[in-house]
Amino acid sequence: MARPDGRLSHDLLPDERLPQDACGVFGVWAPGEEVAKLTYFGLYALQHRGQEAAGIATSDGQRLVVYKDVGLVSQVFDESALSSLRGHLSVGHCRYSTTGRNSWENAQPTLGGTADGTVALTHNGNLINTAELRDLLEEAHGGDLSTSRGEVGRGNTTDTALITGLLTADEDVPVEAAAMRVLPLLRGAFSLVFCDETTLYAARDPQGVRPLVLGRLERGWVVASETAALDIVGAAVVREVEPGELIAIDEDGLRSRRFAAAEPKRCVFEWVYLARPDTTIAGQEVYDARVEMGRRLAREHPVEADLVMPTPESGTPAAIGYAEASGIPFGHGLVKNAYVGRTFIAPSQTIRQLGIRLKLNPLRDVIKGKRLVVVDDSIVRGNTQRALVRMLREAGAAEVHVRISSPPVRWPCFYGIDFATRAELIATGLEVDSIRHSIGADSLGYISEEGMVESTSQPPSSLCTACFTGVYPIELPAEDRLGKDVLELQFPVVADGVDVTDVGTLDVEGVVVTAGVGGAEAVRRP
């Protein structure tokens, strides 16, 4: 998948399934601004975090309008759609599914409401007690979830819909008070941006697994998954939303409440791969961390070679660091097709056999006869690296030495990254030399866990390294209560006659009249 910032996702092969990013969330409270367009561009900056669906909800203080659909941000929205989203506050989301299937029903923002108001909620992360929360919501509705006025009653099978349902389960409790009740019940990773008709909210789990930052506009406030999204809309970075903090922003200003003590366990994979290189997390610019990983990798795994080259673009900062520390020249041995984005057209068998060449092609004159150091950020299943090494040899490389700026990935993530299963991870049960042999490289070196962690400039105790170590900082439930599809068979079938648009003050007609087909379906599609 091509990223809007020019980065190239790992899944270079047509059938390759490798780490899928967490979602992106964005919110703005800014009277007098075109909040829908600000949110659109914020989501565009966060597109690398989720490419399956996108949505925006806005409010003018009286009514809330939502527009969402399956697809990339640029595919879901156009000028007509954005013009239908009026108001002074907005929340938006770009999705990769970690709980619940990839479907229209599961696109965000998720909606819930009472007779007097609506909640539109977006979520980055993944909860691990979804089955327990589902039971709580069912109990709140007298054992019948089909009576829920939120999206759970209309077939949404995500942990996000559960949060929204719980926030609006008691019609007599205001949203902010409900949030202070519900947030302590959630376990796992959650960076939330949500709103009702008058107020923008942001909350982050006590471990702060996924990033969430607060920014200031001249006439308002912005919250986003990454600082790069603040930059693109001209907002100044104020600070991170603290782990265990709930922020509310309305006409009275910004107020903060704490629903849990902070116990930071930030995801180290954000620095390795997930976040944009121009993002800052916990005071450390991601680009700098990746370059430092490359330097340490060179010291830990030196080799005599003629050229250091990255796997574009994910390995570029680490390759720069490796070249700098090793004294071996840096160069580009591969050309990326900049116009290969996400395609829904299945490649023919002939194209499938070409594999990696769909997105990368070698510079033969640069590669021929050279001893290459190829730098990438991770190996998950090994298919892409295997094809890459073969292609470089066919282009005339004398030697191919692979260097990886993270340790071997041996464990799945339950906090918002959809890795392959443990059985599919190439490092499960294999030593490094066996992996080297499998991908066909002359040598293979992974950075050490210590080297990776030190490159982030964060205290080791404040990071989650579960995908490398198997040590999960938030205790996991039983295996049958985990997984992307844990709720698929437990949710009720939508009852006949249920009005799928009957949610608080949702302005259905505004969307239908002024937006395109996607907007109409966003509130009407069953």
Side-chain angles (χ1 to χ4, degrees):
M1 284 173 285
R3 297 167 176 262
D5 60 355
R7 294 175 60 199
L8 187 69
S9 175
H10 275 95
D11 47 342
L12 299 170
L13 298 175
D15 296 321
E16 181 76 327
R17 177 173 174 262
L18 287 160
Q20 300 293 340
D21 297 0
C23 301
V25 295
F26 190 90
V28 57
W29 191 93
E33 298 283 359
E34 293 183 281
V35 294
K37 287 190 175 180
L38 289 176
T39 303
Y40 171 84
F41 286 112
L43 293 180
Y44 198 83
L46 298 172
Q47 183 74 87
H48 61 286
R49 300 188 70 87
Q51 297 94 27
E52 291 184 352
I56 294 175
T58 61
S59 175
D60 61 4
Q62 300 297 319
R63 295 180 298 182
L64 187 142
V65 181
V66 65
Y67 188 115
K68 57 182 179 178
D69 211 340
V70 174
L72 301 175
V73 174
S74 60
Q75 294 169 329
V76 172
F77 297 100
D78 57 19
E79 286 283 353
S80 174
L82 293 174
S83 68
S84 71
L85 297 168
R86 304 184 186 93
H88 66 278
L89 71 88
S90 176
V91 299
H93 187 265
C94 52
R95 181 176 192 246
Y96 180 77
S97 51
T98 51
T99 292
R101 64 192 181 277
N102 175 30
S103 67
W104 180 89
E105 289 83 0
N106 289 345
Q108 297 184 34
T110 57
L111 300 172
T114 66
D116 300 321
T118 312
V119 171
L121 184 141
T122 66
H123 174 203
N124 172 208
N126 193 59
L127 302 183
I128 59 173
N129 64 333
T130 50
E132 174 187 330
L133 296 173
R134 187 257 185 202
D135 293 342
L136 288 174
L137 186 59
E138 185 176 51
E139 182 180 339
H141 288 283
D144 184 6
L145 277 178
S146 66
T147 64
S148 170
R149 290 174 60 87
E151 295 196 19
V152 170
R154 299 193 300 281
N156 189 311
T157 57
T158 66
D159 50 357
T160 310
L162 290 176
I163 301 171
T164 313
L166 289 168
L167 284 175
T168 56
D170 190 334
E171 296 188 3
D172 297 324
V173 178
V175 172
E176 189 169 342
M180 292 300 292
R181 291 184 184 181
V182 171
L183 294 174
L185 303 177
L186 310 181
R187 291 181 56 240
F190 58 91
S191 288
L192 305 177
V193 177
F194 57 106
C195 70
D196 57 17
E197 282 76 8
T198 61
T199 308
L200 176 69
Y201 299 95
R204 196 173 178 200
D205 64 82
Q207 288 74 33
V209 177
R210 300 283 153 229
L212 191 63
V213 290
L214 174 69
R216 193 75 163 97
L217 290 168
E218 183 178 352
R219 292 189 287 183
W221 299 88
V222 180
V223 286
S225 292
E226 298 186 26
T227 60
L230 301 183
D231 295 337
I232 201 171
V233 299
V237 178
V238 176
R239 63 174 177 87
E240 289 194 348
V241 176
E242 293 296 322
E245 181 183 24
L246 171 67
I247 285 175
I249 301 167
D250 59 18
E251 61 184 5
D252 295 322
L254 181 147
R255 56 189 178 275
S256 168
R257 303 176 70 179
R258 184 162 289 283
F259 64 87
E263 301 175 3
K265 290 291 182 182
R266 295 179 173 89
C267 172
V268 74
F269 214 70
E270 293 280 354
W271 280 276
V272 171
Y273 169 71
L274 290 182
R276 283 174 50 141
D278 53 343
T279 279
T280 298
I281 303 176
Q284 169 73 317
E285 188 166 81
V286 170
Y287 178 86
D288 291 341
R290 291 175 185 167
V291 171
E292 180 60 22
M293 288 173 194
R295 295 190 190 105
R296 292 175 182 268
L297 184 58
R299 292 193 287 269
E300 293 181 9
H301 296 284
V303 66
E304 292 187 6
D306 304 307
L307 184 73
V308 176
M309 55 172 283
T311 301
E313 297 286 335
S314 57
T316 299
I320 291 171
Y322 194 102
E324 178 186 307
S326 66
I328 302 170
F330 172 88
H332 289 283
L334 298 165
V335 172
K336 180 186 70 174
N337 181 354
Y339 296 96
V340 175
R342 188 179 185 200
T343 177
F344 295 96
I345 306 300
S348 68
Q349 182 60 30
T350 299
I351 297 297
R352 189 184 305 276
Q353 289 172 349
L354 295 176
I356 202 170
R357 293 179 188 272
L358 288 169
K359 295 188 177 181
L360 296 175
N361 207 35
L363 290 167
R364 296 178 184 276
D365 289 344
V366 173
I367 291 169
K368 188 174 181 180
K370 299 283 180 49
R371 299 169 297 175
L372 305 176
V373 179
V374 182
V375 181
D376 205 349
D377 58 80
S378 60
I379 300 178
V380 181
R381 293 169 71 178
N383 295 344
T384 291
Q385 285 77 16
R386 190 176 299 114
L388 178 62
V389 170
R390 184 186 310 116
M391 183 175 69
L392 293 172
R393 292 199 189 282
E394 290 172 355
E399 299 174 8
V400 181
H401 303 274
V402 176
R403 296 294 181 266
I404 305 298
S405 59
S406 64
V409 176
R410 292 194 167 100
W411 300 87
C413 175
F414 298 102
Y415 307 137
I417 309 173
D418 189 28
F419 281 113
T421 65
R422 186 152 196 250
E424 294 173 308
L425 297 173
I426 192 172
T428 300
L430 287 183
E431 298 301 321
V432 172
D433 193 58
S434 296
I435 301 172
R436 177 203 64 77
H437 183 268
S438 175
I439 66 174
D442 291 285
S443 71
L444 172 63
Y446 291 89
I447 195 173
S448 65
E449 182 188 345
E450 180 184 19
M452 174 189 64
V453 168
E454 289 181 354
S455 299
T456 68
S457 300
Q458 306 303 309
S461 61
S462 71
L463 295 175
C464 174
T465 59
C467 56
F468 305 116
T469 64
V471 177
Y472 294 93
I474 308 170
E475 186 179 357
L476 302 177
E479 188 174 349
D480 63 354
R481 293 201 154 207
L482 280 172
K484 183 173 181 175
D485 301 321
V486 67
L487 298 176
E488 290 294 328
L489 300 178
Q490 299 183 41
F491 276 68
V493 176
V494 180
D496 291 338
V498 169
D499 181 357
V500 299
T501 68
D502 184 15
V503 184
T505 66
L506 178 67
D507 181 0
V508 176
E509 295 307 318
V511 177
V512 174
V513 171
T514 61
V517 174
E521 290 188 345
V523 292
R524 290 202 181 280
R525 189 169 171 181

